[in-house]
Each structure stands twice: as C-alpha cells, then as structure tokens.
C-alpha cells in the first residue's frame, strides 16, 4: 500500500519508519529543507517516558496567574491575547475541571511512554544513528519540601505502573550529578531511572536518511495544500512545490503528522483539531568544562528549566508561552534560562555565546496526542503531541501503523481518539 505521511518532524519520520518496516511504500512530505526542522529542531532533548502528563492539570490552574505575573515564571501570555489563545485557555480549563479526566489521561500517556521507550530501544538496535542519544535517566529536582512531598505521590504512581524511579536525598543527587555545585535550593529529587536524552533534530535527519536507504521517498520544500476526498475516501493530496507549482499526489492512505499545521488539512472534512502552538525557548552551547555540566537531564523546578547533556554540548530549555505563532526571542526569557543553569552548573559553558531557538509545541487543550483514524476511511492522524513529541514519537508511530494495518492496537487509544473534541 502506498501511504503518504504529511510532516517530516520526529513524529512523521518515526511513522514513516514503522510503515516501511511493515512493507508499505511510503512518501513523506516536508515543507522545510530538512527533517525535524520545526518543533523537533532544538527541543529539550529529553525522552521523558516517565514524566509525561496532560497539559490540563487541575493542580496548575491556580498557579497559572502567579506564574504569568512573575518575571521568571514559567508560563507567559502575550497581551492582548488573541481569540485563538482565549479559546485554547478556556478549553484547557474545561478539561482540567472534568472530574477524573486528568488521572485517566495521565495513565494513558504513561503507558504510551513505556511503549515508546521499548520502540526506541528496538529502533536504535536496528539502526546505527548518531544523535548523542543515551538512557541515563532524568532528575526532577525538589527546590522546596513541598515539591519533594509531591514527588512521593508521583513515585507511588510510577511504581504501580512498573516505571523505575527513586526518591533521592540532596547528597544522592550530588553524587549522581557531581557537576551540580551551584547554590540553587535543593531538598532532594525524583529520579526517573530509565528516561533518555538525545538530539531530536539530528535523530530526525539520520532517520530520514535511513528511511530513504530503505526505499522511503522524502520530499522536501513541499507544502501540503489540500486533501482531495469524497464522502468516504481521500484519493490524493494537493501540493505546492518549492518552485511554486501545484501538483497532485495520489496514494492509498494518508497520515497527518504536521504538528501545529495539521488542522487546516482535516477541517474541511468536518474534523476540528484544536491544536495550539505553545511556544518554548532553548539555548544550545558547547561545554567549556564538561565535568561541570549535567551527566544527563536535570529538571530545575525552581525555574522550570530543563538542562540536558548532548555529548559535549548543553541544551537548556524553558517556558510555556501562549503567543500564537510569534517567533520573537525576548532577552528576558534567555536570561531566566541562563540563571537556572548557573544556579546548578556554574561555569560549565559560555551561555552568552549559545545558539538560541524558539519553537512551537503542538498542544491539545486536554493534553494527550491525537492518534487514530480520521474522518475518512483511509485518513489517519498522528499529531498534537505537545511537549512530548520526542518522547512519544516511537510509540505513537507503532500504534498508528497497527491501526492502518487493521490490527487491534497494543494499547487502548480512547484518550487519544481524534474526534474527542467534538463529543
């Protein structure tokens, strides 16, 4: 079967890999000149299988306003907010206040995280990809006694689901991370022992090359304009090439993995995907003293900044900003990220010389990704992974391939069903 995958980010490329592995003819359409060049380009670099949770967290609702008003707060809102921003915020509140929904969605996402880790390990065993990948765990630091108590609850849930984790004392944290000699407050940490790291952009490019070597066609600099369909099936997709010419590509099935740009393709067929571009920022810099940098991934709960080791580089990422598709990079955001790194790993890198980035995480208002059959019998969705696209990509790719092949998915997909926003 010839299957077109729209989107060449990490979700689209892992989907192409899984479909090719099953014997399908695959064509990937990517609007950039490289794979993984949008949301995947400079994300937090953590494959945080045990950390995944829904965006619509009821415990975060009452923290939102103080975070917005605080200068170094992790949540930012562009004023005046657009109509799209307000709709997304109110939808998030509605899902956050739906009794029991957060717990159900969190468990579903954690189960997908477990499966994704398994698929990543299998993929890395089959393919020799260079992307500074590792699985040395992740530490969630506790900057207050209250944070540590909250981690105890999380630790119990992870144990229940069979996800290895440990509660660490400050001494154990510094033993695991000897470079962490800064004066940031520390009361302990929750260690996610099997979580991973890796450069998502490099992985996406390397996987694209590996897929092409196996027969996948990856077309760059093409814009997916419109799906051509009747009431039952999609017959083709209309494309605009880099030269500006229009083209029609026929196929047997279509998978939409276009992140924040997914909705415009399916909306004409009656399916609304309320995916919002949640903005984040990152710094990437070679470490001038690797011994003073993180060994793996550190989540600093004091600033809500993630610092990750990528070979001899440091990637530091922070902020959740609701600003539509604004690509400005305010110096204040970068300054907060630098403060976090210096408070934990002083002197490990020349942060003023770092490469800066901003990108958009394709977030659904309730939190889970959108995985499953779309509004036509040969149209499928694998999109809307929010901040966890890198983490969940390998697992969701395997699941959508199972759905396309008519198999019963290995995991229940109720939490991820595409039509849930119109129910």
């Amino acid at each position: 079967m010839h299957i077109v995958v729209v989107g060449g980010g990490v979700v689209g490329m892992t989907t192409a890999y899984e479909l090719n592995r099953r014997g399908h003819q695959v064509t990937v359409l990517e609007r950039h000149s490289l794979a993984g060049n949008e949301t995947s380009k400079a994300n937090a670099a953590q494959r945080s299988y045990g950390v995944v949770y829904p965006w619509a967290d009821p415990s975060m609702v009452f923290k939102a306003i103080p975070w917005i008003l605080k200068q170094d707060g992790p949540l930012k809102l562009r004023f005046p907010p657009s109509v799209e921003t307000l709709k997304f915020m109110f939808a998030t509140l509605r899902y956050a206040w739906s009794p029991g929904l957060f717990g159900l969605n969190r468990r579903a996402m954690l189960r997908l995280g477990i499966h994704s880790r398994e698929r990543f390990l299998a993929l890395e065993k089959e393919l020799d990809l260079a992307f500074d990948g590792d699985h040395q765990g992740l530490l969630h630091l506790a900057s207050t006694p209250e944070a540590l108590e909250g981690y105890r609850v999380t630790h119990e849930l992870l144990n229940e689901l069979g996800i290895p984790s440990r509660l660490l004392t400050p001494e154990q944290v510094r033993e695991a991370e000897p470079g962490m000699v800064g004066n940031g407050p520390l009361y302990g940490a929750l260690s996610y022992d099997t979580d991973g790291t890796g450069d998502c952009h490099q992985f996406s490019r390397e996987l694209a090359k590996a897929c092409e070597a196996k027969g996948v066609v990856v077309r760059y600099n093409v814009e997916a304009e419109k799906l051509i369909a009747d009431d039952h099936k999609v017959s083709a997709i209309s494309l605009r090439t880099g030269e500006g010419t229009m083209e029609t590509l026929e196929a047997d099935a279509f998978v939409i993995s276009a992140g924040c740009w997914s909705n415009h393709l399916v909306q004409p067929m009656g399916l609304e995907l309320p995916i919002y571009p949640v903005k984040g920022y990152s710094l990437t810099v070679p470490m001038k003293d690797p011994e003073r940098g993180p060994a793996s991934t550190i989540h600093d709960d004091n600033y809500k900044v993630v610092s990750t080791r990528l070979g001899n580089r440091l990637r530091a990422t922070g902020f959740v900003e609701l600003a539509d598709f604004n690509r400005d990079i305010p110096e204040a955001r970068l300054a907060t990220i630098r403060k976090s790194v210096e408070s934990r790993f002083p002197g490990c890198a020349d942060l003023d010389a770092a490469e800066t980035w901003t990108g958009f995480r394709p977030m659904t208002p309730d939190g889970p990704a959108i995985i499953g059959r779309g509004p036509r019998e040969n149209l499928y969705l694998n999109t809307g992974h929010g901040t966890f696209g890198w983490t969940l990509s390998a697992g969701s790719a395997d699941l959508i391939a199972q759905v396309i092949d008519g198999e019963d998915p290995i995991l229940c997909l109720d939490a991820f069903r595409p039509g849930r926003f119109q129910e």
Side-chain angles (χ1 to χ4, degrees):
M1 186 160 61
H2 180 206
I3 303 174
V4 168
V5 177
V6 182
V10 68
V11 174
M13 289 315 310
T14 49
T15 298
Y17 166 78
E18 289 292 346
L19 292 171
N20 173 264
R21 190 176 66 85
R22 288 167 167 262
H24 295 292
Q25 176 189 351
V26 182
T27 300
V28 178
L29 306 177
E30 169 53 44
R31 64 194 185 93
H32 288 285
S33 59
L34 293 170
N37 216 41
E38 186 60 64
T39 308
S40 303
K41 186 171 184 180
N43 62 19
Q46 61 182 67
R47 289 182 285 178
S48 45
Y49 316 109
V51 179
V52 290
Y53 59 89
W55 157 264
D57 182 350
S59 70
M60 293 296 127
V61 171
F62 298 105
K63 299 178 182 179
I65 293 178
W67 279 350
I68 290 173
L69 297 177
K70 184 180 177 183
Q71 182 177 353
D72 291 331
L75 178 62
K76 296 299 176 186
L77 176 64
R78 188 185 186 193
F79 288 97
S82 67
V83 172
E84 289 75 18
T85 299
L86 291 173
K87 285 171 60 178
F88 179 72
M89 291 172 66
F90 283 117
T92 296
L93 287 173
R94 179 167 67 87
Y95 287 115
W97 288 334
S98 296
L101 183 63
F102 175 81
L104 291 173
N105 284 345
R106 187 181 191 186
R107 288 171 183 270
M109 292 175 70
L110 284 168
R111 291 187 180 99
L112 178 53
I114 294 170
H115 183 57
S116 195
R117 183 178 188 276
E118 294 171 353
R119 290 306 309 147
F120 265 120
L121 292 175
L123 187 156
E124 292 174 46
K125 186 175 181 180
E126 178 180 338
L127 303 176
D128 184 18
L129 305 179
F131 63 101
D132 287 327
D134 215 331
H135 279 95
Q136 292 194 52
L138 178 151
L139 293 184
H140 256 193
L141 304 184
S143 296
T144 64
E146 294 78 16
L148 189 61
E149 285 304 308
Y151 294 165
R152 294 188 194 281
V153 178
T154 300
H155 178 54
E156 292 174 3
L157 174 61
L158 297 176
N159 282 344
E160 177 188 332
L161 294 174
I163 300 172
S165 66
R166 291 172 295 146
L167 288 166
L168 304 183
T169 65
E171 293 75 22
Q172 289 171 318
V173 172
R174 297 191 188 282
E175 183 179 342
E177 288 286 347
M180 196 167 69
V181 296
N183 59 4
L186 183 64
Y187 286 84
L190 178 59
S191 173
Y192 299 80
D193 295 341
T194 57
D195 278 10
T197 55
D199 188 319
C200 185
H201 182 46
Q202 287 186 2
F203 175 88
S204 300
R205 288 185 297 165
E206 290 290 308
L207 184 58
K209 293 175 186 176
C211 284
E212 287 179 293
K214 292 176 178 290
V216 173
V217 175
V218 183
R219 297 188 57 182
Y220 297 104
N221 299 309
V222 293
E223 194 82 34
E225 294 279 335
K226 181 182 178 181
L227 293 168
I228 301 168
D230 58 23
D231 290 340
H232 304 286
K233 294 183 67 175
V234 179
S235 58
I237 188 167
S238 175
L239 312 174
R240 186 182 299 276
T241 68
E243 293 74 34
T245 60
M246 297 302 297
E247 181 182 328
T248 299
L249 177 63
E250 297 182 351
D252 301 304
F254 299 81
V255 184
I256 309 302
S257 296
C260 298
W261 294 267
S262 298
N263 188 50
H264 85 275
L265 291 171
V266 300
Q267 193 178 42
M269 285 176 280
L271 179 63
E272 189 73 32
L273 302 180
I275 298 173
Y276 186 87
V278 172
K279 188 178 181 183
Y281 302 87
S282 76
L283 302 170
T284 306
V285 62
M287 283 188 280
K288 63 182 181 183
D289 189 349
E291 296 299 318
R292 299 174 71 175
S296 188
T297 291
I298 299 295
H299 185 284
D300 177 12
D301 73 317
N302 194 33
Y303 290 97
K304 302 295 188 292
V305 167
V306 174
S307 296
T308 296
R309 176 71 164 263
L310 291 172
N312 286 324
R313 295 176 297 152
L314 172 74
R315 169 78 50 78
T317 312
F319 290 99
V320 168
E321 185 167 336
L322 307 181
D324 299 314
F325 284 102
N326 178 280
R327 290 187 184 269
D328 294 344
I329 304 180
E331 172 57 30
R333 307 288 186 269
L334 305 180
T336 297
I337 295 174
R338 292 190 198 103
K339 278 195 284 187
S340 172
V341 176
E342 285 296 321
S343 74
R344 302 298 180 181
F345 301 97
C348 72
D350 182 4
L351 297 174
D352 290 325
E355 179 182 349
T356 63
W357 173 85
T358 188
F360 309 107
R361 300 96 152 202
M363 187 76 74
T364 61
D366 58 348
I370 300 165
I371 307 170
R373 191 186 300 275
R376 298 296 184 271
E377 61 186 55
N378 64 336
L379 178 62
Y380 303 89
L381 287 303
N382 187 19
T383 189
H385 293 69
T387 57
F388 299 112
W390 180 208
T391 295
L392 301 178
S393 57
S396 64
D398 185 45
L399 291 174
I400 198 64
Q402 293 170 25
V403 172
I404 291 171
D405 280 350
E407 302 171 7
D408 290 330
I410 193 170
L411 298 178
C412 176
L413 293 180
D414 284 353
F416 308 97
R417 62 195 185 281
R420 66 187 187 270
F421 305 106
Q422 294 168 294
E423 295 173 354

